[in-house]
Amino acid sequence: MNSRIGQLVVCALLLVCAGVAAWFVPAVTADERAWRAARPCAAATRGNDCLRTLPAVIERTDPRSPKQGGRLYFAEGRPTPRVRVSYDAAEAFEAGDRVRLTVWRGQVMKVAGARYVWHEHVATGGSQAVVAALCALAAGWPGARLLLRARGRRRPKDEVQPSALPFLVPLLGTAVWLLPLCYRHPVSLFGSTATIAWWVVGALVSVVLSGWAWRATRIRTPGEATAPELPADGEVFLPARFLEHTAYNPHGFGTHIVLGADGPAVTPHAGPGRFAAKRIPAGRLTVRGVRRPRGEEGGLVPHSWHIAELDDAGRSVRLAAAPDDLARILRALSAVRV
C-alpha cells in the first residue's frame, strides 16, 4: 500500500510540474522573442526594452566552482556592484579589465572584454515546452506501475506482478516525436497543417506501442499456456530452471532444459549438444500444480514466467519457465512417465 501511495504521489507531482512548466511557455517565448528583437537604444530613447551599452572596470573576480559559477565585481559598484557569470568567464576575466556591459530590462546580458565575451543564457520557449513534456512523460512510468497494480488487484497479494519495463517503449517512442514538436512549435502545437499531421502520426505510433506494452504485460494464467508439438527429429533447448539444488541441477547450475529423443535433461547452456547435461528423472516427478511467481521468487525468475510445483519422490521442487515453454516441458516429462 505504501509503495502504491508513493507512486501515486510521484505521478501527481510530475504532472503538476508539467502543468506549471507549460503555464510559463507563452511568457518565456514572449521574452525570448523580445530579446531577439531588441536593438541598441537611441540617444533619446527611454525604457528597458532596448540594449544599453555601458563601460565598466572589473575590480575583482570570484570563480567559485564549475557548478556554482562565479561573480564579477566592478569598481565603485558602477554600473552595477556585481554580476553572476559562468565559472569559465570568472576565470577568464582579470582585475583591472575594461569591459562593456550590455543591459536589457535592467539585467546585464553581456560582458565583453578584450580576451573574453560572456553571454547570459536566455531561456527559450522551446526548451520550456520540452521540460513540460519531459515531466509529463516521466509521470507515465509511475502511472504504468499503478496501472499494472490495478490490473492485477484480484490476483493473490503475494503474487509477483508483471514488469512495467515494456511501457518504457511507448514512453520513449512518444518522446521521439513529441519533444521535437514541442521544441520547434512551443506555442503553436496545433497551429498548422504540418503540426496537426505530426500529432496524428505520432499519436498513432504511441497508441500502437502502448497496445503492444499492454499485451506484453498481461497476466497469463497457467490455463492459457499452449504446448507446441516437438519436432520429429533434433532437439529443442528451452530457457528454464529448477529453483532447488538436486542431483540433476547441482547448485542451480541449469539454465536450459533440452527436449529430444534422449529424454529431457538440464543443461548449463543453450546448446547445441548435450555437453554437461544432467538427465531429469521424469519417472519419479509428479506435477502438483502450476502458478505464477510469488514473493521472493520474483527476484529469481522473470516476472512473466510460470512455476510448476513438482513432487520428486516426496521432495518438493520448483521448475520455472515461460508459460508455453513450461507447458512443453511438462508434457515431455509426462510422456516419459507413460
Side-chain angles (χ1 to χ4, degrees):
M1 181 61 71
N2 291 336
S3 176
R4 186 177 304 176
I5 293 175
Q7 291 167 5
L8 183 60
V9 170
V10 171
C11 183
L13 286 176
L14 287 171
L15 289 176
V16 169
C17 291
V20 172
W23 177 267
F24 284 102
V25 168
V28 173
T29 302
D31 287 344
E32 175 196 359
R33 291 175 178 175
W35 162 248
R36 294 184 184 280
R39 296 294 180 265
C41 296
T45 301
R46 294 184 178 182
N48 292 326
D49 285 333
C50 59
L51 304 178
R52 298 186 180 277
T53 303
L54 304 173
V57 177
I58 294 178
E59 183 179 72
R60 64 185 179 91
T61 64
D62 181 16
R64 300 194 171 186
S65 70
K67 290 185 178 181
Q68 294 181 339
R71 289 180 174 84
L72 301 179
Y73 293 85
F74 300 102
E76 301 179 0
R78 300 172 57 188
T80 183
R82 62 183 177 273
V83 173
R84 184 187 296 271
V85 296
S86 66
Y87 176 79
D88 292 338
E91 283 280 307
F93 289 112
E94 297 179 354
D97 284 352
R98 296 183 178 275
V99 295
R100 305 285 295 181
L101 308 185
T102 300
V103 181
W104 179 68
R105 293 184 175 178
Q107 181 179 356
V108 176
M109 305 296 291
K110 177 181 176 182
V111 180
R115 298 184 308 275
Y116 193 89
V117 178
W118 170 83
H119 295 270
E120 175 66 274
H121 171 72
V122 178
T124 65
S127 61
Q128 186 74 13
V130 166
V131 170
L134 283 173
C135 289
L137 290 171
W141 175 247
R145 299 181 68 180
L146 287 170
L147 179 64
L148 290 181
R149 283 180 174 272
R151 193 180 187 185
R153 63 185 181 278
R154 297 186 180 181
R155 306 293 301 173
K157 290 184 178 181
D158 62 342
E159 187 174 276
V160 177
Q161 297 293 325
S163 171
L165 286 177
F167 280 99
L168 286 178
V169 175
L171 289 174
L172 294 176
T174 301
V176 168
W177 66 264
L178 181 60
L179 298 185
L181 175 62
C182 291
Y183 186 80
R184 296 182 60 181
H185 307 280
V187 293
S188 57
L189 294 177
F190 299 94
S192 67
T193 303
T195 56
I196 292 175
W198 198 330
W199 271 106
V200 171
V201 174
L204 287 175
V205 171
S206 296
V207 168
V208 170
L209 293 177
S210 297
W212 170 84
W214 180 260
R215 291 192 299 273
T217 56
R218 72 185 182 94
I219 298 176
R220 295 186 62 186
T221 60
E224 297 179 273
T226 60
E229 294 291 336
L230 295 175
D233 53 355
E235 296 181 328
V236 175
F237 287 79
L238 302 175
R241 66 190 64 171
F242 284 94
L243 303 185
E244 279 75 28
H245 163 73
T246 63
Y248 45 90
N249 184 47
H251 307 292
F253 92 124
T255 61
H256 289 72
I257 288 181
V258 56
L259 304 179
D262 293 335
V266 178
T267 70
H269 56 83
R274 293 200 173 209
F275 173 74
K278 300 287 185 180
R279 188 177 180 86
I280 299 174
R284 69 174 195 239
L285 295 179
T286 303
V287 180
R288 291 178 174 175
V290 180
R291 57 175 174 80
R292 287 181 42 76
R294 295 176 183 171
E296 64 180 12
E297 293 171 344
L300 302 176
V301 299
H303 293 186
S304 61
W305 280 19
H306 285 173
I307 293 179
E309 294 181 333
L310 308 175
D311 181 278
D312 183 0
R315 179 189 178 190
S316 296
V317 295
R318 295 167 295 171
L319 171 62
D324 293 346
D325 291 343
L326 184 60
R328 297 178 75 180
I329 296 170
L330 294 180
R331 187 170 68 180
L333 293 176
S334 177
V336 172
R337 287 197 301 271
V338 174

